């Protein structure tokens, strides 16, 4: 990995691979091993702070939460602390190296109310091709005709299949899976109205924008766009049929509310 001059300075003070305590933000006081996945932003509370603010204000003790695209577990770590003592976090993550980071980061903070699911979430069970040409610990499901670099085969599951095996359904879902958001949601079609979870979704391209919008509209959801890296401000998505760059369409980071829930039901003061 090539580091910028600023990152080289940061690496001298807080070396990648070292265990550090987070200095500020919602994870203040938690310990993590610094890795190339997140670099140094978590140490000063800069790891998607607006998304974390949503989690802190809507995830409750006892909730079951799903983290789709758990990466090294930072969001899951926050949510695990929020759902204690009876709740549980399910980390869906296909890369073994990331699973190892999750296990260590949770262990460093003596948190055990989680289960790792080593699979990508899609609209079926089986295996799929994953493109890892840009980063060996990050990637995206690709079709055969989309391959343009290094790929691996990873296990995939659908949320419906996961729940129908007897696993508890979610009260909250975070989805950040690099362009497979639509298939992941359509693989939840049988059970979404049973659980009606709150959801935060990171959208990655206009095709997925429209697929996700179609799914949300079909199931009576309302969506609000926000900037995950800025102060938390919501913009109502007025037209779920339009993707980027439509000003009134669905794209970017979105907070999704099921039927019967309104933004005014939540106090985002924390």
């Amino acid at each position: 990995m090539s580091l910028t001059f600023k990152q080289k300075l940061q690496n001298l003070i807080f070396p990648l691979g070292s265990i550090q305590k987070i200095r500020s933000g919602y994870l203040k006081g938690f310990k993590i091993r610094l890795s190339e996945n997140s670099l140094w932003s978590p140490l000063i509370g800069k790891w998607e702070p607006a998304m974390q603010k949503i989690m802190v204000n809507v995830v409750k003790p006892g909730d079951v939460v799903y983290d789709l695209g758990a990466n090294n577990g930072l969001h899951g770590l926050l949510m695990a602390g929020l759902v204690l003592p009876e709740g549980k976090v399910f980390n869906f993550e296909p890369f073994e190296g990331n699973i190892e980071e999750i296990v260590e980061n949770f262990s460093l903070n003596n948190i055990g109310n989680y289960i790792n699911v080593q699979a990508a979430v899609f609209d079926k069970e089986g295996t799929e091709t994953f493109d890892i040409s840009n980063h060996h610990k990050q990637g995206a499901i690709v079709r055969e005709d989309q391959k343009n670099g290094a790929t691996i085969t990873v296990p995939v599951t659908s949320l419906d299949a996961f729940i129908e095996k007897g696993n508890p359904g979610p009260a909250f879902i975070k989805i950040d899976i690099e362009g497979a958001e639509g298939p992941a949601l359509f693989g939840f079609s049988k059970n979404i109205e049973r659980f009606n979870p709150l959801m935060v979704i990171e959208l990655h391209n206009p095709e997925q924008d429209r697929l996700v919008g179609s799914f949300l509209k079909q199931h009576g959801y309302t969506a609000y766009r926000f900037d995950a890296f800025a102060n938390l401000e919501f913009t109502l998505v007025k037209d779920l049929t339009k993707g980027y760059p439509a000003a009134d369409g669905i794209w970017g980071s979105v907070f999704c509310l099921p039927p019967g829930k309104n933004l005014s039901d939540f106090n985002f003061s924390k």
Side-chain angles (χ1 to χ4, degrees), residues 16-210:
L16 288 177
S18 65
I19 296 173
Q20 299 289 338
K21 184 175 286 189
I22 295 175
R23 270 67 173 171
S24 61
Y26 292 109
L27 282 165
K28 182 178 180 180
F30 282 73
K31 295 177 182 178
I32 61 169
R33 185 178 294 280
L34 290 182
S35 76
E36 60 186 325
N37 268 340
S38 56
L39 298 175
W40 296 274
S41 61
L43 291 183
I44 54 173
K46 298 297 185 181
W47 184 255
E48 299 186 317
M51 184 178 292
Q52 291 191 9
K53 185 168 186 175
I54 291 174
M55 294 173 180
V56 166
N57 284 279
V58 306
V59 174
K60 305 184 301 298
D63 279 351
V64 171
V65 300
Y66 288 3
D67 188 353
L68 277 56
N71 198 271
N72 59 350
L74 293 183
H75 286 320
L77 193 62
L78 175 63
M79 291 189 286
L82 295 171
V83 304
L84 286 170
E86 299 89 1
K88 188 160 298 247
V89 174
F90 288 86
N91 297 305
F92 292 82
E93 173 55 52
F95 289 111
E96 184 176 357
N98 289 348
I99 292 287
E100 291 171 355
E101 283 193 46
I102 293 171
V103 170
E104 181 175 32
N105 285 332
F106 277 65
S107 177
L108 285 170
N109 296 282
N110 298 311
I111 291 179
N113 60 326
Y114 73 100
I115 291 177
N116 289 330
V117 182
Q118 191 174 342
V121 179
F122 207 48
D123 58 4
K124 65 176 186 178
E125 286 190 291
T127 60
E128 284 291 324
T129 300
F130 230 60
D131 184 333
I132 56 169
S133 56
N134 294 324
H135 196 300
H136 71 283
K137 288 189 175 181
Q138 298 174 14
I141 294 173
V142 293
R143 300 191 305 264
E144 285 294 321
D145 60 349
Q146 294 176 319
K147 292 181 181 179
N148 59 8
T151 61
I152 59 172
T153 299
V154 301
V156 297
T157 187
S158 72
L159 294 185
D160 281 335
F162 183 74
I163 291 168
E164 287 163 7
K165 289 178 179 177
N167 293 298
F172 180 87
I173 304 177
K174 185 225 85 181
I175 303 176
D176 187 358
I177 49 177
E178 305 297 330
E181 306 87 58
L185 285 177
F186 279 96
F188 190 31
S189 297
K190 295 179 183 178
N191 285 283
I192 187 165
E193 292 180 5
R194 177 181 170 194
F195 297 102
N196 277 328
L198 299 166
M199 296 187 286
V200 171
I201 305 172
E202 291 280 353
L203 294 160
H204 290 85
N205 61 62
E207 178 186 9
Q208 294 303 312
D209 298 346
R210 292 187 291 272

Side-chain angles (χ1 to χ4, degrees), residues 48-52 54 75 174-176 181 199-205 209 212 216 223-230 232-237 244 249-256:
E48 299 186 317
M51 184 178 292
Q52 291 191 9
I54 291 174
H75 286 320
K174 185 225 85 181
I175 303 176
D176 187 358
E181 306 87 58
M199 296 187 286
V200 171
I201 305 172
E202 291 280 353
L203 294 160
H204 290 85
N205 61 62
D209 298 346
V212 169
L216 296 176
Y224 292 85
R225 189 165 54 250
F226 67 97
D227 184 339
F229 291 94
L232 183 60
E233 295 182 1
F234 292 111
T235 300
L236 175 66
V237 175
Y244 184 83
I250 181 168
W251 45 269
S253 302
V254 288
F255 177 45
C256 307

